[in-house]
Amino acid sequence: MSSSTPDPADPVFRLHVGGKMAVTSTVPLTSREDLSLAYTPGVARVCEAIAADPDLADTYTWVSHTVAVVTDGSAVLGLGNIGPRAALPVMEGKAVLFKQFAGVDAVPVCLDTQDVDEIVAAVRAIAPSFGGINLEDISAPRCFEVERRLDEALDIPVFHDDQHGTAIVVLAALRNAATLLNRKLGDLRVAVSGAGAAGVAVTKMLIAGGVDPARVVVCDSRGIIGRHRELTGTKAELAELTNAEGRQGDVTEALRGADVLVGVSGGQIPEAAVAGMAPGGIVFALANPTPEVHPEVAARHVAVVATGRSDYPNQINNVLAFPGVFRGALDAGATRITDAMKVAAADAIAGVVAESLTPDAIVPSPLDPRVAPAVADAVAEAARRDGVARR
């Protein structure tokens, strides 16, 4: 039987029967008085108050603790473009993680369109029901345009987790790996393999966190990105921002003498390329389920290895970031999520295990209960410093 064929005896399928979430009431509904307060006629007074002052929705509805998890099903996990209906189990999973780790209520919204204009219009239309928008599993390069336009149009946080969640945790892990190895971020030579949503965001986040852009080289499927190539959009931006030495060639050339490899491409990297890195290096091979470099192979050549998998040490998992990021943004009433808020989130994640670093423990466990509160506090404070907080 195929692993994707429903099997009533399979614990995975048993767990998913009926879905992974439900709506529950937060108020009693056991008497006529309860009904009159929660619904008609009492609710009309609350509606009138909000009509007169829309900001009251934060106080008298679920908006202040609820986000929409929005996808078009075009880039789901390692499954690719499987469509909105097949993406729903993942979005439900994302929603229960929000609730479990940060007390944030989340609603899956799977859109039956992959047109940028239609996605933006749909999210703008539903936005009054939510305090934030978590974009999920939307393929590049459309995801950049969707996020940019929604960020400009809405006065609530918009966050594409495949970009920024990954980038935040990578920055946190690299901070701690560098500390463990007695290195400074600004001195590290970094190669990023992959120039999709995660690769672009990781590159920008590492630079925002202190990595020298001149020491960064980014590769896509055609090789090193630089001014020697005719590029448009985000790749053209990367060409202007990185690769100051003007390197050309494939990932092997990008890794020659590099201190750090961040793999977010899904392509395989030969052992010989990793062997060409500088001594005492760092490899984050984050493709799932098959890392760009097998962790045991990478460990032959570098000092610290991380993956996206839960069965190896140092799992770079977005759940370390997104629940706390939204909790902090909602608590502060943030109108957007700034770069400083993302860097603050990375610093908070790194700080949770800063006093107990080992090569096999540079990031907290995704189940560590200290993470989300620490991230939320740091993000809320950064929002206030950046002037995007309403409370």
Side-chain angles (χ1 to χ4, degrees), residues 64 67 104 131-132 156-159 322-338 341 375-381 383-384 388-391:
S64 64
V67 303
V104 172
I156 57 176
V158 178
F159 184 86
F322 70 82
V325 167
F326 269 99
R327 178 76 275 167
L330 292 170
D331 289 347
T335 56
R336 56 190 297 263
I337 294 176
T338 66
M341 291 162 71
V375 171
D377 289 346
V379 167
E381 181 57 34
R384 296 181 182 107
V388 297
R390 290 177 289 196
R391 53 178 175 270

Side-chain angles (χ1 to χ4, degrees), residues 205-271:
M205 180 59 59
L206 293 181
I207 292 169
V211 172
D212 182 353
R215 292 175 172 266
V216 177
V217 175
V218 183
C219 293
D220 64 7
S221 60
R222 293 178 52 200
I224 293 174
I225 289 174
R227 298 182 184 181
H228 60 284
R229 291 174 52 184
E230 292 187 9
L231 300 163
T232 59
T234 55
K235 290 185 181 182
E237 293 176 21
L238 291 179
E240 293 295 322
L241 188 63
T242 64
N243 191 18
E245 296 178 356
R247 289 197 183 193
Q248 301 182 32
D250 60 10
V251 70
T252 299
E253 171 61 23
L255 284 175
R256 184 172 54 82
D259 301 296
V260 180
L261 162 64
V262 181
V264 282
S265 66
Q268 294 300 290
I269 296 175
E271 181 174 358

Side-chain angles (χ1 to χ4, degrees), residues 23 59 65 72 179 189 212 228 269 273 347 385:
V23 174
T59 302
H65 56 85
D72 65 356
T179 297
R189 297 175 66 93
D212 182 353
H228 60 284
I269 296 175
D347 290 345
R385 288 196 303 270

Side-chain angles (χ1 to χ4, degrees), residues 40-337:
T40 185
V43 71
R45 293 169 54 195
V46 180
C47 295
E48 290 172 337
I50 294 172
D53 181 359
D55 288 343
L56 290 177
D58 286 350
T59 302
Y60 294 111
T61 73
W62 74 349
V63 163
S64 64
H65 56 85
T66 306
V67 303
V69 181
V70 178
T71 190
D72 65 356
S74 60
V76 181
L77 295 178
L79 303 174
N81 188 356
I82 60 174
R85 191 177 298 274
L88 185 53
V90 178
M91 302 310 118
E92 286 187 359
K94 197 83 173 187
V96 298
L97 293 174
F98 266 115
K99 188 66 172 181
Q100 176 68 28
F101 293 109
V104 172
D105 291 296
V107 178
V109 179
C110 298
L111 300 175
D112 192 12
T113 177
Q114 295 184 357
D115 178 83
V116 169
D117 290 340
E118 292 181 358
I119 292 171
V120 170
V123 176
R124 290 185 64 178
I126 66 171
S129 294
F130 301 99
I133 305 295
N134 182 94
L135 300 174
E136 187 75 19
D137 292 347
I138 299 174
S139 63
R142 295 176 309 110
C143 61
F144 304 120
E145 178 75 2
V146 170
E147 184 184 45
R148 181 188 65 78
R149 288 173 57 180
L150 288 173
D151 198 42
E152 292 174 354
L154 301 178
D155 63 352
I156 57 176
V158 178
F159 184 86
H160 186 210
D161 187 50
D162 303 296
Q163 294 183 62
H164 309 301
T166 300
I168 287 167
V169 184
V170 167
L171 176 58
L174 189 59
R175 280 206 190 287
N176 279 346
T179 297
L180 184 67
L181 300 176
N182 197 28
R183 306 288 296 277
K184 294 181 179 179
L185 286 186
D187 295 335
L188 297 175
R189 297 175 66 93
V190 179
V192 178
S193 177
V200 171
V202 164
T203 301
K204 291 182 177 180
M205 180 59 59
L206 293 181
I207 292 169
V211 172
D212 182 353
R215 292 175 172 266
V216 177
V217 175
V218 183
C219 293
D220 64 7
S221 60
R222 293 178 52 200
I224 293 174
I225 289 174
R227 298 182 184 181
H228 60 284
R229 291 174 52 184
E230 292 187 9
L231 300 163
T232 59
T234 55
K235 290 185 181 182
E237 293 176 21
L238 291 179
E240 293 295 322
L241 188 63
T242 64
N243 191 18
E245 296 178 356
R247 289 197 183 193
Q248 301 182 32
D250 60 10
V251 70
T252 299
E253 171 61 23
L255 284 175
R256 184 172 54 82
D259 301 296
V260 180
L261 162 64
V262 181
V264 282
S265 66
Q268 294 300 290
I269 296 175
E271 181 174 358
V274 179
M277 295 176 65
I282 300 164
V283 166
F284 296 168
L286 306 183
N288 246 330
T290 305
E292 290 85 353
V293 184
H294 193 285
E296 293 175 8
V297 172
R300 297 172 191 161
H301 305 284
V302 299
V304 177
V305 179
T307 73
R309 293 173 53 142
S310 61
D311 54 348
Y312 288 96
N314 297 325
Q315 184 187 15
I316 307 298
N317 192 320
N318 290 13
V319 76
L320 291 169
F322 70 82
V325 167
F326 269 99
R327 178 76 275 167
L330 292 170
D331 289 347
T335 56
R336 56 190 297 263
I337 294 176

